[in-house]
Amino acid sequence: LIVAPKVESKRSTLSVPYGAEVLLSCQSEAHPKAMHYWTKNGTMVIDKRKASKSKHEIEEVLQSYRTTLHLKIRHVDRG
């Protein structure tokens, strides 16, 4: 079974105050499993949970051919 890649996000724009924490999510469907990653200004966002004061946390939830990808951003800034 092959499922062509499809990506969905419920929101295209989100406003939060500086310094706040925000959780972004999107779902994709694909088989075989697709590569998933978040970018900021064209650069891949890295999950640095092991570092103290990590700004980004990424979680990938797999359900058969569907993947939900979450990105938690702490201390939102202008960049």
Side-chain angles (χ1 to χ4, degrees), residues 28-41:
S28 71
E29 296 178 357
H31 185 76
K33 184 180 178 285
M35 291 179 50
H36 302 97
Y37 56 92
W38 292 95
T39 62
K40 177 182 176 183
N41 299 326

Side-chain angles (χ1 to χ4, degrees), residues 9-76:
S9 179
K10 294 185 186 209
R11 297 180 181 192
S12 60
T13 304
L14 182 65
S15 297
V16 296
Y18 292 125
E21 179 175 292
V22 65
L23 180 65
L24 306 176
S25 298
C26 72
Q27 284 191 339
S28 71
E29 296 178 357
H31 185 76
K33 184 180 178 285
M35 291 179 50
H36 302 97
Y37 56 92
W38 292 95
T39 62
K40 177 182 176 183
N41 299 326
T43 302
M44 188 182 304
V45 174
I46 306 295
D47 185 352
K48 298 180 180 175
R49 275 185 266 189
K50 294 176 184 160
S52 62
K53 298 185 181 181
S54 171
K55 184 172 179 85
H56 303 106
E57 183 178 324
I58 298 171
E59 179 185 19
E60 191 176 66
V61 181
L62 303 172
Q63 301 165 324
S64 184
Y65 61 91
R66 179 176 292 134
T67 301
T68 302
L69 195 62
H70 301 288
L71 171 63
K72 184 186 291 184
I73 305 171
R74 293 179 183 83
H75 310 293
V76 170

